[in-house]
């Protein structure tokens, strides 16, 4: 999936995660001001599109942490 095809809500969530490095659902909810359902859908689209990944917080296993996936550009591979 291309970033240009993402809905505005998913682009906003991606920008927040890129700026913070890592974020919990609660942090994303507070910073994005999106409804919970919209935020969950945005996160789902970003995970399925390969833009972010979900990790379990070791301090509280009920909490998930979201972070960007570093993708190398085709031109940079092997250099």
């Amino acid at each position: 999936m291309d970033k240009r095809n993402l809905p505005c809500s998913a682009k906003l969530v991606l920008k927040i995660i890129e700026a913070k490095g890592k974020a919990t659902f609660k942090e994303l909810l507070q910073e994005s001001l999106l409804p919970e359902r919209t935020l969950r859908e945005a996160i789902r689209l970003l995970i399925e599109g390969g833009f972010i990944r979900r990790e379990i917080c070791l301090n509280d296993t009920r909490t998930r942490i979201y972070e960007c996936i570093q993708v190398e550009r085709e031109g940079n591979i092997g250099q």
Side-chain angles (χ1 to χ4, degrees), residues 29-46:
L29 192 61
Q30 291 171 346
E31 290 196 33
S32 69
L33 302 176
L34 293 170
E36 279 190 43
R37 185 175 178 171
T38 304
L39 179 57
R40 289 185 195 286
E41 178 66 12
I43 290 170
R44 184 187 65 79
L45 290 171
L46 292 170

Side-chain angles (χ1 to χ4, degrees), residues 7 12 20 22-23 26 36 41 45 55 64-66 77:
L12 172 63
K20 292 182 67 88
K22 293 182 178 184
K26 189 173 184 178
E36 279 190 43
E41 178 66 12
L45 290 171
E55 295 180 350
R64 303 294 180 256
I65 299 173
Y66 302 96
I77 295 175

